[in-house]
Amino acid sequence: ENVIKVKVELPIEILDEYERSSRVEATKEFCGDIIEYYATRWGLPVDIVMAQISQERPPIINGVCDNVCQLTPPENFIDDYKVPVYDENGFTGTYDEVHLDKEAVYSLEGNIMAGLILDRQTFDKFQSCILGLFSYNQGPNMLHNACKYFGLNEEDYLGEENALKACELIVSYNVNRGKPKYADGNYLSNVLKYVQFKEDGTYTTNFYIGEQEYELTVVNTLALDYNNTQSR
């Protein structure tokens, strides 16, 4: 009863199962153990992070894939971090103290650590998995910039219940400032198309923000439309 359940509806591209699974399986084989370890330890949804890096990463060629998290550039993530640690009972009350230098952010493990630390920061900042993911791509200051531009209260766009309207606001801000193709306006769909949706078009996962556990259900409206058409 201590889990907050939230739901979002999104139109997500329906991939051929082979295309979806082959991309994700290649990520898992290359670096899945690292992703799973840190995503679990830092309270992030493992499957979504796996899908995110599957979307972000360049091709794996001869066992090599540089900058798997597409940090732009990796040097921007050279810093000291304090990251909350979780286990099967939730927040442990302890933190990982992480130092990332230039060598680390260009290494496979350090690059993944930096990407997941950014996820952890954006999830916490916006109290949302959905807006946190979107801000990984758009930039963690974009909601603030958009609210300032339109004269809106940033507090009204925090939380999972406000995540989609916050993402739409950021896209509108980019259009209004003459940069309609800034970053990836379809980033959520491009990431979430790599998770495994059930036949009813839903996907459910758990994650933490602070000490609070959330259960997020994503409803793929394109899958629902497709299933309804097939059943006629």
Side-chain angles (χ1 to χ4, degrees):
E1 67 272 15
N2 295 322
V3 179
I4 295 178
K5 297 184 178 183
V6 291
K7 181 172 72 173
V8 296
E9 296 184 356
L10 285 165
I12 299 166
E13 179 183 355
I14 300 171
L15 290 179
D16 174 85
E17 178 57 21
Y18 175 78
E19 181 184 357
R20 186 201 69 79
S21 62
S22 61
R23 179 81 180 181
V24 175
E25 288 305 314
T27 302
K28 288 181 178 179
E29 182 177 349
F30 183 69
C31 57
D33 55 341
I34 302 173
I35 295 171
E36 185 170 357
Y37 174 79
Y38 287 107
T40 302
R41 184 171 179 82
W42 293 341
L44 298 166
V46 175
D47 286 349
I48 288 184
V49 174
M50 197 76 69
Q52 182 182 30
I53 294 179
S54 294
Q55 160 67 16
E56 290 283 354
R57 68 167 174 79
I60 301 168
I61 301 174
N62 297 325
V64 177
C65 180
D66 294 326
N67 196 12
V68 292
C69 291
Q70 288 295 281
L71 308 178
T72 52
E75 287 91 341
N76 286 350
F77 295 83
I78 295 172
D79 208 341
D80 293 312
Y81 300 93
K82 191 174 180 181
V83 192
V85 175
Y86 299 82
D87 62 17
E88 63 276 6
N89 297 313
F91 179 50
T92 63
T94 64
Y95 295 83
D96 281 337
E97 294 188 3
V98 179
H99 172 70
L100 295 178
D101 56 20
K102 185 174 182 178
E103 181 179 358
V105 295
Y106 277 99
S107 71
L108 178 60
E109 183 170 3
N111 195 271
I112 292 171
M113 291 172 73
L116 269 61
I117 287 171
L118 178 57
D119 274 338
R120 181 71 273 165
Q121 290 175 334
T122 56
F123 277 44
D124 292 342
K125 179 175 183 177
F126 302 113
Q127 302 161 39
S128 165
C129 169
I130 294 299
L131 182 55
L133 280 177
F134 196 62
S135 297
Y136 180 103
N137 173 262
Q138 297 285 319
N141 294 320
M142 289 300 285
L143 177 62
H144 173 78
N145 295 342
C147 288
K148 184 177 180 180
Y149 180 87
F150 290 112
L152 300 171
N153 184 359
E154 190 172 342
E155 295 292 322
D156 294 337
Y157 290 85
L158 302 182
E160 209 69 78
E161 69 278 8
N162 297 312
L164 291 184
K165 74 173 184 178
C167 296
E168 292 170 358
L169 181 70
I170 291 170
V171 172
S172 295
Y173 166 63
N174 289 327
V175 170
N176 275 267
R177 70 192 184 109
K179 296 186 177 181
K181 296 183 179 180
Y182 180 85
D184 180 3
N186 294 316
Y187 187 72
L188 293 174
S189 177
N190 286 332
V191 168
L192 294 172
K193 69 186 179 185
Y194 289 113
V195 301
Q196 179 67 66
F197 283 87
K198 295 190 292 186
E199 290 186 1
D200 64 358
T202 65
Y203 166 78
T204 300
T205 189
N206 289 65
F207 61 93
Y208 285 90
I209 296 175
E211 298 183 18
Q212 180 63 57
E213 183 177 7
Y214 288 79
E215 180 184 278
L216 171 67
T217 297
V218 180
V219 180
N220 185 357
T221 55
L222 291 186
L224 295 179
D225 291 342
Y226 175 80
N227 292 339
N228 289 338
T229 301
Q230 294 298 102
S231 64
R232 292 187 187 128

